[in-house]
Amino acid sequence: MHDDLIARAKAWLAEDPDAETREELARLIDAGDTDELAARFSGTLQFGTAGLRGELGAGPMRMNRGVVIRAAAGLAAYLKKNGTPHGDDGAGLVVIGYDARHKSADFARDTAAVMTGAGLRAAVLPRPLPTPVLAFAVRHLGAVAGVEVTASHNPPRDNGYKVYLGDGSQIVPPADAEIAAEIDAIASLHDVPRPESGWQTLDDAVLDAYLARTDAVLGTGSPRTARTVYTAMHGVGRDVLLAAFARAGFPEPVLVAEQADPDPDFPTVAFPNPEEPGAMDLAFARARATDPDLVIANDPDADRCAVAVKDGGDWRMLRGDEVGALLAAHLVRRGARGTFAESIVSSSLLGRIAGKAGLPYEETLTGFKWIARVDGLRYGYEEALGYCVDPEGVRDKDGITAALLITELASALKEEGRTLLDLLDDLAVEHGLHATDQLSVRVQDLSLIADAMRRLRERPPAELAGLPVTRAEDLSRGTDRLPPTDGLRYTLTGARVIVRPSGTEPKLKCYLEVVVPVADHAGLPAARARAAELLDAVRRDLSAAAGI
């Protein structure tokens, strides 16, 4: 076993194109560190519907240039085998974007080289830009595929590789498995041609086209008065968001200076995700000093949008489900037509808003790869701060256009002497108070997640928080509306719970919702107290049932 492990490590070392990871791997081999080598050579980083995502480092279980070159070669083989549409010179175009993380630019260049070597055309965005710009560029440029090098809001040690096909939406089965099979078929990096040149580096025309498209998000002649504090969370959103806000005529956002510049080490936050505890502390401090109408945050690749409001004497984050409902209500008020869609883990309030407006409504599996494919989509969201407000422009979540739309709504309410919280109160009275929360458990040992799922499948709870479970569904079998996925859904009297392993992080996620009827605005405080009590009890009982 030891000799085989060393032999595999040396074989990888012999074709590793990166001096940094070669040096790292050589040190491990020389030190005879079999534990660390085993962790890196216990398999390969699996390519799935989230593409690739993992910790940077040497070996097939880490993100590195060798893994990326293989992924790119597998994607190129898949595109050629599936008869990609051709451009004027007979070769399909693959457009490549990247964020400001460690190695992102290298991975983008490697991808361009592999595509060129495979006889495809490759075009790389001019610099680190938000993921939605890449998603836009795929359709705008008529590409057969797009690649975004990003790990979104993961820790600084991670990077990732997200794939879009020519319709501008992320891959779904069976494309992921077919690409993975092509990756597995690559025997050696020496078999992958990688010319030194031959691809195009795009200029700002594609970014200008994206910004011009943002005009379609806002209403004609709508108020543009709301003042904002903005944090880019050390990512790539700042310049694009500022340009979009200036173009729309909003007041210039006040920046959180400490988090404004791209920085792959994310020095001011433990996790560069607005949902994580402490991540918004600097933004709230800036808001206390400047008293804006709302606080807006993007995650590092700017496909997510977080919103915070003043509630009483201080600032608080709105939940993704609250922002999702607010944007839906705003679009309904503006006369939007088309299908409203959300993932199954998001609040059922969207369905009630759509139903009251006479609009079609769809539920999908988790992820915008599914939401973006809904027929006739006009608006889609999911609770993890992802909003698709212009599906004709970007068939994915987009933190820039979502920020524009929520700021337009805040401006319209400001003109009426009202706030986002006032509109949330109105929605609660109209449709019932929909309160959501999460029980999320991060693990080192992935077997703990499998154990919890098995325990719940073998002994599903009969009640949670004293509410009877009226229906227990194992989503791995699929439903009449949903393809199979590893998840469990419990329908209770006045509540709903979904349990699923995260697709991108070592987490078990449990999504909780309770619905409390409200007769009028005077009944809201009591309804909120009851909802909080029920959520706490559901969380406690579910935790016990899952053994987590």
Side-chain angles (χ1 to χ4, degrees), residues 39-57:
R40 292 159 184 260
F41 287 85
S42 59
T44 58
L45 209 56
Q46 290 302 297
F47 186 94
T49 52
L52 292 168
R53 198 176 289 187
E55 186 175 345
L56 290 163

Side-chain angles (χ1 to χ4, degrees), residues 38 94 170 205:
V94 178
Q170 297 175 54

Side-chain angles (χ1 to χ4, degrees), residues 119-131:
L120 296 161
R121 293 180 297 135
V124 183
L125 294 184
R127 58 186 171 279
L129 286 167
T131 293

Side-chain angles (χ1 to χ4, degrees), residues 268-418:
T268 68
V269 291
F271 282 88
N273 178 355
E275 292 181 296
E276 293 284 346
M280 295 290 287
D281 287 356
L282 289 171
F284 290 166
R286 198 82 183 95
R288 292 181 196 111
T290 58
D291 196 30
D293 297 300
L294 69 167
V295 174
I296 289 173
N298 286 139
D299 66 338
D301 69 326
D303 63 350
R304 287 173 169 82
C305 176
V307 180
V309 295
K310 198 168 189 179
D311 188 1
D314 207 356
W315 290 82
R316 76 163 175 95
M317 278 271 288
L318 294 179
R319 302 192 68 84
D321 284 318
E322 292 176 308
V323 177
L326 287 168
L327 292 174
H330 184 44
L331 288 170
V332 165
R333 185 176 177 180
R334 277 186 19 194
R337 309 306 300 169
T339 302
F340 280 27
E342 63 181 338
S343 61
I344 57 172
V345 301
S346 305
S347 172
S348 59
L349 177 56
L350 183 68
R352 290 183 169 89
I353 292 171
K356 182 80 176 287
L359 296 175
Y361 165 75
E362 290 286 341
E363 276 190 317
T364 74
L365 293 184
T366 308
F368 270 82
K369 57 184 176 282
W370 299 108
I371 294 171
R373 285 181 158 75
V374 168
D375 285 342
L377 181 68
R378 175 58 186 89
Y379 168 65
Y381 98 92
E382 69 179 4
E383 53 73 44
L385 310 184
Y387 314 95
C388 176
V389 302
D390 178 27
E392 289 304 306
V394 175
R395 288 189 181 174
D396 198 3
K397 54 187 177 291
D398 183 346
I400 305 296
T401 51
L404 287 170
L405 195 62
I406 197 71
T407 307
E408 179 187 55
L409 172 57
S411 299
L413 290 167
K414 184 178 182 179
E415 297 294 298
E416 300 168 4
R418 287 157 42 83

